[in-house]
Amino acid sequence: ADYSEEPPRHPSLKVNAKEPFNAEPHRSALLSYITPIDFFYKRNHGPIPVVDDIERYGVSVGGLVKKPIELSIFEIRKLPKYNVVATLQCAGNRRTAMSKTRTVKGVGWDVAAIGNAIWGGAKLADVLELVGISHSSTYSPLGGKHVEFVSIDKCKEENGGPYKASIPIRQATNPEDDVLLAYEMNGETLNRDHGFPLRVIVPGVIGARSVKWLDSINIIEEECQGFFMQKDYKMFPPSVNWDNINWFTRKAQMDFPVQSAICTLEDVDVVKPGKVTIAGYAVSGGGRGIERVDVSVDGGKTWLEAERYQRGNIPYQSDDVHTDKWAWVLFKAVIDIPENAVVVAKAVDTASNVQPDNVEVIWNLRGILNTSWHKVQARRAP
Ligand code: MTE
Ligand code: MO
């Protein structure tokens, strides 16, 4: 693979893998509601493609449709534009902590393989109408049930072929699900790292389904058979290891579970005497909001409810933003802590799902979806 044309990146990013480039910011960069592009995690499976002739770039929409079409970026920009605030989270977020109980396979991540951005683009539901599939369809007129997204990048897992994924047609055609073909991020033209010229954003779902550098959209009968849908990004029980794994026994992971992390403290930290700020993010998948965030300074024996907020620093007129129901909420509590504190955060979503208290119960060999209570140790400086 050729990594000679990678874009420039912010020097403060923590690089977890160089080629393909995988990097996250320091966790403190996640304390603003909208994550700046430079500090938004970057997760790739191959070199960043070069699209230098935007005039010739186009997305084909085909498969089980009566009349396939090819749309230029200019035609996509002419469709109604939506600005959706959505949190993108890699299924591998917090993997490093999971590998501490037992080794897992995959790129290591701290708590920052996640970010919240304003994605601007056309709704996939509107694009699919152009090929005769109406809003809120359970199948296309020709019997398609899934919508596949194929990229122009090349990755070794696909034997040099493109990255791909699919979502059910019902989600793709439901305008309320806000699936976007995004050409803007935080009001700027999408940059190369994040999918220039066009990427998919599937809100509320693990990042792996938000295909970057979109090349084609196919209406298909069965779920996409690509590596990342069939042999990766599945949640296995702790009893499954590399000798007894059977990929076909599990479904492709879509929605992510309720998650939160503390971003004002390191995993092991020394704090000044007095009040300590415990703040971070909380988010749930599938459009479920955050009902509550509890924090503890004694390892989870006693709890206090944190304050929650969204927006605030949004660089947009509020009516320009179509929705922020897919966005994280930030939480904050300012508390006196004991001398040797174990500080914990746990979020509860609107369906009353709660994060599990320890990582052992959700350990899985690929190290995905570590949503266990985020615990950090804070020692008071003398
Ligand atoms: N799309 C393509 N074409 N190639 C990729 O490697 N990685 C996926 C997804 N889309 C990927 C992709 C994964 S696993 C994640 S978590 C997100 O993109 C990361 O998006 P970001 O780099 O914009 O943060
Ligand atoms: Mo990911």
Side-chain angles (χ1 to χ4, degrees), residues 173-199:
T173 57
N174 183 356
E176 303 283 299
D177 278 336
D178 294 317
V179 180
L180 289 189
L181 300 189
Y183 44 80
E184 275 180 18
M185 181 179 186
N186 295 352
E188 290 177 26
T189 301
L190 196 65
N191 74 14
R192 288 183 56 212
D193 260 330
H194 295 290
F196 175 82
L198 193 68
R199 79 173 301 168

Side-chain angles (χ1 to χ4, degrees), residues 97-314:
M98 184 174 279
S99 67
K100 280 180 185 142
T101 41
R102 246 199 294 164
T103 311
V104 299
K105 206 185 254 181
V107 179
W109 296 96
D110 186 50
V111 302
I114 187 169
N116 191 52
I118 309 164
W119 306 98
K123 280 200 188 181
L124 177 61
D126 293 344
V127 170
L128 294 178
E129 267 197 326
L130 302 176
V131 290
I133 306 173
S134 22
H135 281 183
S136 302
S137 299
T138 34
Y139 42 84
S140 77
L142 296 184
K145 289 205 189 70
H146 299 266
V147 179
E148 180 183 60
F149 311 117
V150 184
S151 163
I152 54 186
D153 65 347
K154 297 179 168 69
C155 43
K156 66 172 190 313
E157 292 88 346
E158 292 285 8
N159 300 312
Y163 186 98
K164 49 190 178 181
S166 70
I167 60 170
I169 208 164
R170 184 198 282 274
Q171 185 177 13
T173 57
N174 183 356
E176 303 283 299
D177 278 336
D178 294 317
V179 180
L180 289 189
L181 300 189
Y183 44 80
E184 275 180 18
M185 181 179 186
N186 295 352
E188 290 177 26
T189 301
L190 196 65
N191 74 14
R192 288 183 56 212
D193 260 330
H194 295 290
F196 175 82
L198 193 68
R199 79 173 301 168
V200 183
I201 289 292
V202 188
V205 164
I206 61 164
R209 313 306 177 209
S210 291
V211 174
K212 304 195 269 189
W213 315 291
L214 190 60
D215 183 49
S216 56
I217 298 172
N218 299 317
I219 311 305
I220 53 178
E221 203 174 321
E222 305 281 349
E223 187 179 88
C224 162
Q225 294 300 304
F227 179 90
F228 300 100
M229 288 290 287
Q230 302 300 330
K231 299 205 154 179
D232 202 356
Y233 298 113
K234 291 186 176 185
M235 176 71 148
F236 284 90
S239 59
V240 171
N241 57 49
W242 292 106
D243 298 321
N244 64 16
I245 189 166
N246 179 357
W247 286 99
F248 304 107
T249 57
R250 299 287 148 184
K251 63 166 195 68
Q253 186 70 38
M254 299 304 281
D255 291 5
F256 52 78
V258 59
Q259 173 74 291
S260 72
I262 297 163
C263 299
T264 43
L265 294 165
E266 302 298 322
D267 278 346
V268 179
D269 215 331
V270 178
V271 299
K272 292 194 202 86
K275 297 214 180 285
V276 170
T277 300
I278 302 167
Y281 64 79
V283 67
S284 191
R288 287 173 290 279
I290 292 298
E291 174 66 19
R292 197 175 92 219
V293 180
D294 300 327
V295 296
S296 169
V297 294
D298 56 12
K301 283 190 204 79
T302 60
W303 300 90
L304 190 101
E305 190 177 344
E307 169 195 336
R308 280 172 285 119
Y309 55 101
Q310 278 189 321
R311 305 274 179 128
N313 71 339
I314 212 165

